[in-house]
Coordinates of all heavy atoms in Angstrom, one line a residue:
M1 N 0.8 -1.2 0.0 CA 0.1 0.0 0.0 C 0.9 1.3 0.1 O 1.0 2.0 1.0 CB -0.9 0.0 1.2 CG -1.6 1.2 1.4 SD -2.8 1.4 2.7 CE -2.5 0.3 4.0
Q2 N 1.6 1.5 -1.1 CA 2.4 2.6 -1.2 C 1.7 3.8 -1.7 O 0.8 3.7 -2.5 CB 3.6 2.4 -2.2 CG 4.6 3.5 -2.3 CD 5.7 3.1 -3.2 OE1 6.0 1.9 -3.4 NE2 6.5 4.2 -3.7
T3 N 2.0 5.0 -1.0 CA 1.2 6.2 -1.3 C 2.2 7.3 -1.7 O 3.3 7.4 -1.0 CB 0.5 6.6 -0.1 OG1 -0.5 5.6 0.2 CG2 -0.3 7.9 -0.4
D4 N 1.9 8.2 -2.6 CA 2.8 9.3 -2.9 C 2.6 10.3 -1.7 O 1.6 10.8 -1.3 CB 2.2 10.0 -4.1 CG 3.2 11.2 -4.5 OD1 4.0 11.5 -3.7 OD2 2.7 11.8 -5.5
M5 N 3.7 10.5 -1.0 CA 3.8 11.3 0.2 C 3.3 12.8 -0.1 O 2.8 13.5 0.8 CB 5.1 11.4 0.8 CG 5.5 10.1 1.7 SD 4.3 9.9 3.0 CE 4.6 11.3 4.0
A6 N 3.4 13.2 -1.3 CA 2.9 14.5 -1.6 C 1.4 14.7 -1.4 O 1.0 15.7 -1.2 CB 3.3 14.9 -3.1
D7 N 0.8 13.5 -1.5 CA -0.8 13.6 -1.4 C -1.2 13.2 0.0 O -2.3 13.2 0.4 CB -1.4 12.5 -2.4 CG -1.1 13.0 -3.8 OD1 -0.9 14.2 -4.0 OD2 -1.0 12.1 -4.7
M8 N -0.3 12.8 0.9 CA -0.6 12.4 2.2 C -0.5 13.5 3.3 O 0.6 14.2 3.3 CB 0.3 11.3 2.7 CG -0.1 10.6 4.0 SD 0.9 9.2 4.4 CE 0.5 8.0 3.2
T9 N -1.5 13.7 4.1 CA -1.4 14.7 5.1 C -0.8 14.1 6.3 O -0.7 12.9 6.5 CB -2.8 15.3 5.5 OG1 -3.6 14.2 6.1 CG2 -3.6 15.7 4.3
P10 N -0.4 15.0 7.3 CA 0.1 14.4 8.6 C -0.8 13.6 9.3 O -0.5 12.6 9.9 CB 0.5 15.7 9.4 CG 0.8 16.8 8.3 CD -0.2 16.5 7.2
G11 N -2.1 13.9 9.2 CA -3.2 13.1 9.9 C -3.2 11.8 9.2 O -3.5 10.8 9.9
E12 N -3.2 11.7 7.9 CA -3.3 10.5 7.2 C -2.1 9.6 7.5 O -2.2 8.3 7.7 CB -3.4 10.7 5.7 CG -4.7 11.3 5.3 CD -4.7 11.7 3.8 OE1 -3.6 12.1 3.3 OE2 -5.8 11.7 3.2
L13 N -1.0 10.2 7.7 CA 0.3 9.4 8.1 C 0.2 8.9 9.4 O 0.5 7.7 9.7 CB 1.5 10.3 7.9 CG 2.8 9.5 8.2 CD1 2.9 8.3 7.3 CD2 4.0 10.4 8.0
T14 N -0.5 9.7 10.4 CA -0.7 9.2 11.8 C -1.7 8.0 11.7 O -1.4 7.0 12.4 CB -1.3 10.4 12.6 OG1 -0.3 11.4 12.7 CG2 -1.6 9.8 14.0
E15 N -2.7 8.1 10.9 CA -3.6 6.9 10.8 C -2.8 5.7 10.3 O -3.1 4.6 10.7 CB -4.8 7.3 9.8 CG -5.8 6.2 9.8 CD -6.4 5.8 11.1 OE1 -6.6 6.5 12.0 OE2 -6.7 4.6 11.1
R16 N -2.0 5.9 9.3 CA -1.2 4.8 8.7 C -0.4 4.1 9.8 O -0.3 2.9 9.8 CB -0.4 5.3 7.5 CG 0.4 4.3 6.7 CD -0.4 3.4 5.9 NE -1.3 4.1 5.1 CZ -1.0 4.7 3.8 NH1 0.2 4.6 3.4 NH2 -1.9 5.4 3.2
V17 N 0.4 4.9 10.5 CA 1.2 4.4 11.6 C 0.3 3.7 12.6 O 0.7 2.5 13.0 CB 1.9 5.5 12.3 CG1 2.6 5.0 13.6 CG2 3.0 6.2 11.3
R18 N -0.7 4.2 13.0 CA -1.7 3.5 13.9 C -2.1 2.2 13.4 O -2.2 1.2 14.2 CB -2.9 4.4 14.2 CG -3.7 3.9 15.4 CD -5.0 4.8 15.6 NE -4.7 6.1 15.8 CZ -4.9 7.1 15.0 NH1 -5.6 6.8 13.9 NH2 -4.6 8.4 15.3
T19 N -2.5 2.2 12.2 CA -2.9 0.8 11.5 C -1.8 -0.2 11.5 O -2.1 -1.4 11.8 CB -3.4 1.2 10.1 OG1 -4.5 2.0 10.2 CG2 -3.8 -0.1 9.4
I20 N -0.6 0.3 11.1 CA 0.4 -0.6 11.1 C 0.8 -1.2 12.5 O 1.0 -2.4 12.7 CB 1.7 0.0 10.5 CG1 1.4 0.2 9.0 CG2 3.0 -0.8 10.6 CD1 2.6 1.0 8.3
W21 N 0.7 -0.3 13.5 CA 1.0 -0.8 14.9 C 0.0 -1.8 15.3 O 0.3 -2.9 15.8 CB 0.9 0.4 15.9 CG 2.2 1.2 15.9 CD1 3.1 1.4 15.0 CD2 2.6 1.9 17.2 NE1 4.0 2.3 15.5 CE2 3.7 2.6 16.8 CE3 2.0 2.1 18.4 CZ2 4.4 3.4 17.7 CZ3 2.7 2.9 19.3 CH2 3.9 3.6 18.9
T22 N -1.3 -1.6 15.0 CA -2.4 -2.5 15.3 C -2.2 -3.8 14.6 O -2.4 -4.9 15.3 CB -3.7 -1.9 14.8 OG1 -4.1 -0.6 15.5 CG2 -4.9 -2.8 15.1
E23 N -1.8 -3.8 13.4 CA -1.5 -5.1 12.7 C -0.4 -5.9 13.4 O -0.4 -7.0 13.5 CB -1.2 -4.8 11.3 CG -2.5 -4.3 10.5 CD -2.2 -3.8 9.1 OE1 -1.0 -3.6 8.8 OE2 -3.1 -3.4 8.4
V24 N 0.7 -5.1 13.6 CA 1.9 -5.8 14.1 C 1.7 -6.2 15.5 O 2.1 -7.3 15.9 CB 3.2 -4.9 13.9 CG1 4.3 -5.4 14.7 CG2 3.5 -4.7 12.4
L25 N 1.2 -5.4 16.4 CA 1.0 -5.7 17.8 C -0.2 -6.8 18.0 O -0.2 -7.4 19.0 CB 0.7 -4.5 18.6 CG 1.9 -3.5 18.7 CD1 1.5 -2.2 19.4 CD2 3.0 -4.1 19.5
G26 N -1.1 -6.8 17.1 CA -2.2 -7.7 17.2 C -3.3 -7.2 18.2 O -4.0 -7.9 18.8
R27 N -3.2 -5.8 18.4 CA -4.2 -5.2 19.4 C -4.4 -3.8 19.0 O -3.6 -3.2 18.3 CB -3.6 -5.4 20.8 CG -2.3 -4.7 20.9 CD -1.6 -5.0 22.3 NE -2.2 -4.1 23.3 CZ -1.6 -4.0 24.5 NH1 -0.5 -4.7 24.8 NH2 -2.1 -3.1 25.4
S28 N -5.5 -3.2 19.5 CA -5.7 -1.8 19.2 C -6.0 -0.9 20.4 O -6.4 0.2 20.3 CB -6.9 -1.7 18.2 OG -8.1 -2.2 18.8
D29 N -5.8 -1.6 21.6 CA -6.1 -0.9 22.8 C -4.9 0.0 23.4 O -4.3 -0.2 24.4 CB -6.6 -1.9 23.9 CG -5.5 -2.9 24.2 OD1 -4.7 -3.2 23.3 OD2 -5.5 -3.5 25.3
F30 N -4.5 0.9 22.5 CA -3.4 1.9 23.0 C -3.8 3.2 22.3 O -4.5 3.3 21.4 CB -2.1 1.4 22.3 CG -2.0 1.2 20.8 CD1 -1.8 2.2 20.0 CD2 -2.2 -0.1 20.3 CE1 -1.8 2.0 18.6 CE2 -2.2 -0.3 18.9 CZ -2.0 0.7 18.0
S31 N -3.2 4.2 22.9 CA -3.4 5.7 22.4 C -2.3 6.0 21.6 O -1.2 5.4 21.6 CB -3.7 6.6 23.6 OG -2.4 6.9 24.2
D32 N -2.5 7.1 20.8 CA -1.4 7.7 20.1 C -0.3 8.2 20.8 O 0.8 8.5 20.3 CB -1.9 8.7 19.1 CG -2.9 8.3 18.1 OD1 -3.0 6.9 17.9 OD2 -3.5 9.1 17.3
S33 N -0.4 8.4 22.2 CA 0.6 8.9 22.9 C 1.3 7.8 23.8 O 2.1 8.0 24.6 CB 0.2 10.0 23.8 OG -0.9 9.5 24.7
D34 N 0.8 6.5 23.7 CA 1.5 5.3 24.3 C 2.8 4.9 23.7 O 2.8 4.9 22.4 CB 0.5 4.2 24.4 CG -0.6 4.4 25.4 OD1 -0.5 5.2 26.3 OD2 -1.7 3.7 25.2
S35 N 3.8 4.5 24.4 CA 5.0 4.0 23.9 C 4.8 2.6 23.3 O 4.2 1.8 23.9 CB 6.2 3.9 25.0 OG 7.2 3.3 24.6
F36 N 5.4 2.5 22.1 CA 5.4 1.2 21.4 C 5.8 0.1 22.2 O 5.4 -1.0 22.3 CB 6.2 1.3 20.1 CG 6.3 0.0 19.3 CD1 5.3 -0.4 18.6 CD2 7.4 -0.8 19.3 CE1 5.3 -1.6 17.8 CE2 7.5 -2.0 18.7 CZ 6.4 -2.4 17.9
F37 N 6.9 0.3 23.0 CA 7.6 -0.7 23.8 C 6.9 -1.0 25.1 O 7.0 -2.0 25.7 CB 9.1 -0.3 24.1 CG 9.9 -0.1 22.7 CD1 10.0 1.1 22.2 CD2 10.2 -1.3 22.0 CE1 10.7 1.1 20.9 CE2 11.0 -1.2 20.9 CZ 11.2 -0.1 20.3
E38 N 6.0 -0.1 25.5 CA 5.2 -0.3 26.7 C 3.8 -1.0 26.4 O 3.1 -1.3 27.3 CB 5.0 1.0 27.5 CG 6.4 1.5 28.1 CD 6.2 2.8 28.7 OE1 5.1 3.4 28.9 OE2 7.3 3.3 29.2
T39 N 3.5 -1.1 25.1 CA 2.2 -1.7 24.6 C 2.5 -3.1 24.1 O 1.7 -3.6 23.5 CB 1.6 -0.8 23.6 OG1 2.4 -0.7 22.5 CG2 1.2 0.5 24.1
G40 N 3.7 -3.7 24.4 CA 3.9 -5.0 23.9 C 5.0 -5.1 22.9 O 5.3 -6.2 22.3
G41 N 5.4 -4.0 22.3 CA 6.4 -4.0 21.2 C 7.8 -4.3 21.7 O 8.1 -4.2 22.9
H42 N 8.6 -4.9 20.8 CA 10.0 -5.2 21.1 C 10.7 -5.0 19.8 O 10.1 -4.7 18.8 CB 10.1 -6.6 21.7 CG 9.5 -7.7 21.0 ND1 10.0 -8.2 19.7 CD2 8.3 -8.4 21.2 CE1 9.1 -9.1 19.2 NE2 8.2 -9.3 20.1
S43 N 12.0 -5.2 19.8 CA 12.9 -4.9 18.7 C 12.5 -5.6 17.4 O 12.5 -5.0 16.3 CB 14.4 -5.0 18.9 OG 14.6 -6.4 19.3
L44 N 12.1 -6.9 17.5 CA 11.7 -7.7 16.2 C 10.4 -7.1 15.7 O 10.3 -6.9 14.5 CB 11.5 -9.1 16.6 CG 12.8 -9.9 16.9 CD1 12.5 -11.3 17.3 CD2 13.9 -9.7 15.8
L45 N 9.5 -6.7 16.5 CA 8.3 -6.1 16.0 C 8.5 -4.7 15.6 O 7.8 -4.3 14.5 CB 7.1 -6.1 17.1 CG 6.6 -7.4 17.6 CD1 5.5 -7.3 18.6 CD2 6.0 -8.2 16.4
A46 N 9.4 -3.9 16.1 CA 9.7 -2.7 15.7 C 10.3 -2.7 14.3 O 10.0 -1.9 13.4 CB 10.8 -2.1 16.6
S47 N 11.1 -3.7 14.0 CA 11.6 -3.9 12.6 C 10.5 -4.1 11.7 O 10.6 -3.6 10.5 CB 12.7 -4.9 12.5 OG 12.1 -6.2 12.8
K48 N 9.5 -4.9 12.0 CA 8.4 -5.1 11.1 C 7.6 -3.8 10.9 O 7.2 -3.5 9.8 CB 7.5 -6.1 11.7 CG 7.9 -7.7 11.7 CD 6.9 -8.5 12.2 CE 7.4 -9.9 12.1 NZ 6.3 -10.9 12.5
V49 N 7.4 -3.1 11.9 CA 6.7 -1.8 11.8 C 7.4 -0.8 10.8 O 6.8 -0.3 9.9 CB 6.5 -1.0 13.2 CG1 6.2 0.5 13.0 CG2 5.5 -1.8 14.0
M50 N 8.8 -0.8 11.0 CA 9.5 0.2 10.1 C 9.6 -0.3 8.7 O 9.5 0.5 7.8 CB 10.9 0.3 10.7 CG 10.9 1.1 12.1 SD 9.9 2.5 12.1 CE 10.8 3.6 11.0
A51 N 9.6 -1.7 8.5 CA 9.6 -2.1 7.1 C 8.3 -1.9 6.5 O 8.3 -1.4 5.3 CB 9.9 -3.7 7.0
R52 N 7.2 -2.1 7.2 CA 5.9 -1.9 6.5 C 5.6 -0.3 6.4 O 5.2 0.0 5.3 CB 4.7 -2.4 7.5 CG 4.7 -3.8 7.5 CD 3.5 -4.4 8.4 NE 3.6 -5.8 8.5 CZ 2.6 -6.5 9.0 NH1 1.6 -5.9 9.5 NH2 2.8 -7.9 9.2
L53 N 6.0 0.4 7.3 CA 5.9 1.8 7.1 C 6.7 2.4 6.0 O 6.2 3.2 5.3 CB 6.3 2.5 8.5 CG 6.0 4.0 8.6 CD1 4.5 4.3 8.3 CD2 6.3 4.5 10.0
G54 N 8.0 1.8 5.8 CA 8.8 2.3 4.7 C 8.2 1.9 3.4 O 8.2 2.8 2.5
R55 N 7.6 0.8 3.4 CA 7.0 0.4 2.0 C 5.7 1.3 1.8 O 5.6 1.6 0.6 CB 6.5 -1.1 2.1 CG 7.7 -2.1 1.8 CD 7.2 -3.5 1.6 NE 6.4 -4.0 2.7 CZ 6.9 -4.6 3.8 NH1 8.2 -4.8 4.0 NH2 6.1 -5.1 4.7
S56 N 5.1 1.6 2.9 CA 3.9 2.4 2.7 C 4.2 3.8 2.2 O 3.4 4.4 1.4 CB 3.2 2.5 4.1 OG 2.1 3.4 4.1
V57 N 5.3 4.4 2.6 CA 5.7 5.7 2.2 C 6.6 5.8 1.0 O 6.9 6.8 0.6 CB 6.2 6.6 3.4 CG1 5.2 6.7 4.5 CG2 7.6 6.0 3.9
G58 N 7.1 4.6 0.6 CA 7.9 4.4 -0.6 C 9.4 4.8 -0.4 O 10.1 5.2 -1.3
M59 N 9.9 4.7 0.9 CA 11.3 4.9 1.0 C 11.8 4.1 2.3 O 10.9 3.7 3.1 CB 11.6 6.3 1.3 CG 11.1 7.0 2.6 SD 11.4 8.8 2.8 CE 13.2 8.8 2.9
R60 N 13.1 3.8 2.3 CA 13.7 3.1 3.4 C 13.8 4.0 4.6 O 14.2 5.2 4.4 CB 15.0 2.5 3.1 CG 14.8 1.4 1.9 CD 16.2 0.9 1.5 NE 16.8 0.3 2.7 CZ 17.7 -0.7 2.6 NH1 18.0 -1.1 1.5 NH2 18.2 -1.2 3.7
L61 N 13.4 3.6 5.8 CA 13.4 4.3 7.0 C 14.4 3.8 8.0 O 14.4 2.5 8.1 CB 11.9 4.4 7.6 CG 10.9 5.1 6.7 CD1 9.5 4.9 7.4 CD2 11.2 6.6 6.6
S62 N 15.0 4.6 8.7 CA 16.0 4.1 9.8 C 15.2 3.5 10.9 O 14.2 4.0 11.4 CB 16.7 5.3 10.3 OG 17.5 5.1 11.5
M63 N 15.8 2.4 11.4 CA 15.2 1.7 12.6 C 15.3 2.6 13.7 O 14.4 2.5 14.7 CB 15.9 0.4 12.9 CG 15.4 -0.9 12.4 SD 13.8 -1.2 13.1 CE 14.2 -1.9 14.7
Q64 N 16.2 3.5 13.8 CA 16.4 4.3 14.9 C 15.3 5.3 15.1 O 15.0 5.7 16.3 CB 17.7 5.2 14.7 CG 18.2 6.0 15.9 CD 18.5 5.0 17.2 OE1 19.2 4.1 16.9 NE2 18.1 5.4 18.3
L65 N 14.5 5.6 14.1 CA 13.3 6.4 14.3 C 12.3 5.9 15.3 O 11.8 6.7 16.1 CB 12.5 6.6 12.9 CG 13.2 7.5 11.9 CD1 12.4 7.4 10.6 CD2 13.1 8.9 12.3
I66 N 12.0 4.6 15.4 CA 11.1 4.1 16.3 C 11.7 4.0 17.7 O 10.8 4.1 18.7 CB 10.5 2.7 15.9 CG1 9.2 2.4 16.7 CG2 11.6 1.6 16.0 CD1 8.3 1.2 16.1
F67 N 13.0 4.0 17.8 CA 13.7 4.1 19.2 C 13.6 5.4 19.8 O 13.5 5.7 20.9 CB 15.0 3.4 19.1 CG 15.0 1.9 19.0 CD1 15.2 1.4 17.7 CD2 14.6 1.1 20.0 CE1 15.1 0.0 17.5 CE2 14.6 -0.3 19.8 CZ 14.9 -0.8 18.5
D68 N 13.8 6.4 18.8 CA 13.8 7.8 19.2 C 12.4 8.4 19.3 O 12.2 9.4 20.0 CB 14.6 8.7 18.2 CG 16.0 8.3 18.2 OD1 16.5 7.8 19.2 OD2 16.8 8.7 17.2
H69 N 11.4 7.9 18.6 CA 10.1 8.4 18.5 C 9.1 7.3 18.7 O 8.6 6.7 17.8 CB 9.9 9.1 17.1 CG 10.9 10.0 16.8 ND1 11.0 11.3 17.3 CD2 11.9 9.9 16.0 CE1 12.0 12.0 16.7 NE2 12.6 11.2 16.0
R70 N 8.9 7.0 20.0 CA 8.2 5.8 20.5 C 6.7 5.8 20.5 O 6.0 4.7 20.7 CB 8.7 5.4 21.9 CG 10.2 5.1 21.9 CD 10.6 4.9 23.3 NE 12.1 4.4 23.2 CZ 12.5 3.5 23.9 NH1 11.8 2.7 24.7 NH2 13.9 3.2 23.8
T71 N 6.0 6.8 20.2 CA 4.6 7.0 20.1 C 4.1 7.1 18.7 O 4.9 7.5 17.7 CB 4.0 8.1 21.0 OG1 4.3 9.3 20.3 CG2 4.6 8.1 22.4
V72 N 2.8 6.7 18.4 CA 2.3 6.9 17.1 C 2.4 8.4 16.6 O 2.9 8.6 15.6 CB 0.7 6.6 17.2 CG1 0.1 6.9 15.8 CG2 0.6 5.0 17.3
E73 N 2.1 9.3 17.5 CA 2.2 10.8 17.2 C 3.7 11.2 16.8 O 3.9 11.8 15.8 CB 1.7 11.6 18.3 CG 0.3 11.5 18.7 CD -0.1 12.1 20.0 OE1 0.8 12.3 20.9 OE2 -1.2 12.5 20.1
Q74 N 4.6 10.7 17.7 CA 6.0 11.1 17.5 C 6.5 10.4 16.2 O 7.3 11.1 15.5 CB 6.9 10.7 18.6 CG 6.6 11.5 19.9 CD 7.2 10.9 21.1 OE1 7.9 9.8 21.1 NE2 7.2 11.6 22.2
L75 N 6.2 9.1 16.0 CA 6.8 8.4 14.9 C 6.2 9.0 13.5 O 6.9 9.2 12.6 CB 6.5 7.0 15.0 CG 7.1 6.1 13.8 CD1 8.6 6.2 13.7 CD2 6.7 4.7 14.1
A76 N 4.9 9.3 13.5 CA 4.3 9.9 12.3 C 5.0 11.2 12.0 O 5.2 11.5 10.8 CB 2.8 10.0 12.5
G77 N 5.2 12.0 13.0 CA 5.8 13.3 12.8 C 7.2 13.2 12.3 O 7.6 13.9 11.4
A78 N 7.9 12.2 12.8 CA 9.3 12.1 12.4 C 9.4 11.5 11.0 O 10.3 11.9 10.2 CB 10.1 11.1 13.4
V79 N 8.6 10.6 10.7 CA 8.5 10.0 9.4 C 8.1 11.1 8.3 O 8.7 11.3 7.2 CB 7.6 8.7 9.2 CG1 7.4 8.4 7.8 CG2 8.2 7.7 10.0
Y80 N 7.1 11.9 8.7 CA 6.7 12.9 7.8 C 7.7 13.9 7.5 O 8.0 14.4 6.4 CB 5.4 13.6 8.4 CG 4.7 14.5 7.4 CD1 3.7 14.0 6.5 CD2 5.0 15.9 7.3 CE1 3.2 14.8 5.6 CE2 4.3 16.8 6.4 CZ 3.4 16.1 5.6 OH 2.8 17.0 4.7
A81 N 8.5 14.3 8.6 CA 9.6 15.2 8.5 C 10.7 14.6 7.5 O 11.2 15.4 6.7 CB 10.2 15.6 9.8
Q82 N 11.0 13.3 7.8 CA 12.1 12.7 7.0 C 11.7 12.7 5.5 O 12.5 13.0 4.7 CB 12.4 11.4 7.6 CG 13.5 10.7 6.8 CD 14.1 9.6 7.6 OE1 13.5 9.0 8.5 NE2 15.2 9.0 7.1
V83 N 10.4 12.2 5.2 CA 10.0 12.1 3.8 C 9.8 13.5 3.1 O 9.9 13.6 1.9 CB 8.8 11.2 3.6 CG1 9.1 9.8 4.0 CG2 7.5 11.8 4.2
S84 N 9.8 14.5 4.0 CA 9.7 15.8 3.4 C 10.9 16.5 3.3 O 11.1 17.7 3.1 CB 8.7 16.8 4.4 OG 7.5 16.2 4.5
G85 N 11.9 15.7 3.6 CA 13.4 16.2 3.5 C 14.0 16.8 4.7 O 15.1 17.5 4.6
Q86 N 13.4 16.6 5.9 CA 14.0 17.2 7.1 C 14.5 16.0 7.9 O 14.0 14.9 7.9 CB 12.9 17.8 8.0 CG 12.2 18.9 7.2 CD 11.0 19.5 7.9 OE1 10.9 19.3 9.2 NE2 10.1 20.1 7.3
N87 N 15.6 16.1 8.6 CA 16.3 15.1 9.5 C 15.9 15.4 10.9 O 16.4 16.5 11.4 CB 17.7 15.0 9.3 CG 18.4 13.9 10.0 OD1 17.8 13.4 11.0 ND2 19.5 13.5 9.6
T88 N 15.0 14.6 11.6 CA 14.6 14.9 12.9 C 15.6 14.6 14.0 O 15.3 14.9 15.1 CB 13.2 14.4 13.1 OG1 13.4 13.0 13.1 CG2 12.2 14.9 12.2
T89 N 16.6 13.8 13.6 CA 17.5 13.2 14.7 C 18.7 14.1 14.9 O 19.4 14.0 16.0 CB 17.8 11.8 14.5 OG1 18.6 11.7 13.3 CG2 16.6 10.9 14.3
G90 N 19.1 14.8 13.9 CA 20.4 15.5 14.0 C 21.5 14.7 13.6 O 22.7 15.1 13.6
R91 N 21.3 13.4 13.3 CA 22.3 12.4 12.9 C 22.3 12.1 11.5 O 21.3 12.3 10.9 CB 22.1 11.1 13.7 CG 22.2 11.1 15.1 CD 22.0 9.7 15.7 NE 21.5 9.7 17.0 CZ 20.3 9.3 17.5 NH1 19.5 8.7 16.6 NH2 20.0 9.5 18.6
P92 N 23.4 11.7 10.9 CA 23.3 11.3 9.5 C 22.3 10.2 9.3 O 22.1 9.4 10.2 CB 24.8 10.7 9.2 CG 25.6 11.2 10.4 CD 24.6 11.5 11.5
E93 N 21.5 10.3 8.2 CA 20.5 9.3 7.9 C 21.1 7.9 7.6 O 22.0 7.9 6.7 CB 19.6 9.9 6.8 CG 18.8 11.1 7.3 CD 17.9 11.6 6.2 OE1 17.7 11.0 5.2 OE2 17.3 12.6 6.4
T94 N 20.7 6.9 8.2 CA 21.1 5.6 7.9 C 19.7 4.9 7.6 O 18.6 5.2 8.1 CB 21.8 4.9 9.0 OG1 20.9 5.0 10.3 CG2 23.1 5.6 9.3
T95 N 19.9 3.8 6.9 CA 18.7 3.0 6.5 C 18.9 1.6 6.9 O 20.0 1.1 6.8 CB 18.3 3.2 5.0 OG1 19.5 2.7 4.3 CG2 18.0 4.6 4.6
T96 N 17.7 0.9 7.1 CA 17.6 -0.5 7.3 C 16.5 -1.1 6.6 O 15.6 -0.3 6.2 CB 17.5 -0.9 8.7 OG1 16.3 -0.4 9.3 CG2 18.7 -0.6 9.5
A97 N 16.4 -2.4 6.3 CA 15.3 -2.9 5.5 C 14.1 -3.2 6.4 O 14.1 -3.3 7.6 CB 15.7 -4.2 4.8

């Protein structure tokens, strides 16, 4: 489900992140401000989230994003900034599959 980011709003990206988390975690009883790692997520699930999210937005995303931005809101904002050409971490951009 790849989408042209030029057509996606921040709200739509937040919804996409929430949907991916729900699918990967196998539950939907979390808020957009809950930490991925406190809602049952771990590093292997985080890699699934980032791979799916990267496919969804059409670019490879750094695994570090989910460790630095642990909530739906934060991760959506960071991904939106990255695909818009902004680096939100201050570090060189690295990618993983």
Side-chain angles (χ1 to χ4, degrees):
M1 171 177 24
Q2 185 175 340
T3 301
D4 181 0
M5 280 302 300
D7 297 332
M8 189 178 290
T9 67
E12 290 169 330
L13 184 55
T14 299
E15 181 61 35
R16 181 76 47 88
V17 171
R18 186 182 309 112
T19 298
I20 291 170
W21 280 30
T22 297
E23 292 168 354
V24 169
L25 291 170
R27 57 189 278 193
S28 60
D29 59 337
F30 56 85
S31 76
D32 289 355
S33 60
D34 288 338
S35 169
F36 178 78
F37 299 100
E38 293 176 4
T39 58
H42 51 74
S43 59
L44 293 175
L45 293 179
S47 67
K48 287 183 178 185
V49 166
M50 295 311 293
R52 289 184 188 190
L53 189 53
R55 283 192 301 273
S56 179
V57 299
M59 69 182 292
R60 293 177 63 153
L61 298 170
S62 169
M63 261 299 279
Q64 191 62 42
L65 284 175
I66 198 165
F67 291 102
D68 291 343
H69 309 281
R70 295 175 176 228
T71 70
V72 168
E73 294 168 335
Q74 292 171 353
L75 184 58
V79 170
Y80 193 84
Q82 188 167 7
V83 298
S84 299
Q86 303 168 24
N87 184 341
T88 62
T89 64
R91 296 185 204 115
E93 293 181 9
T94 58
T95 58
T96 59

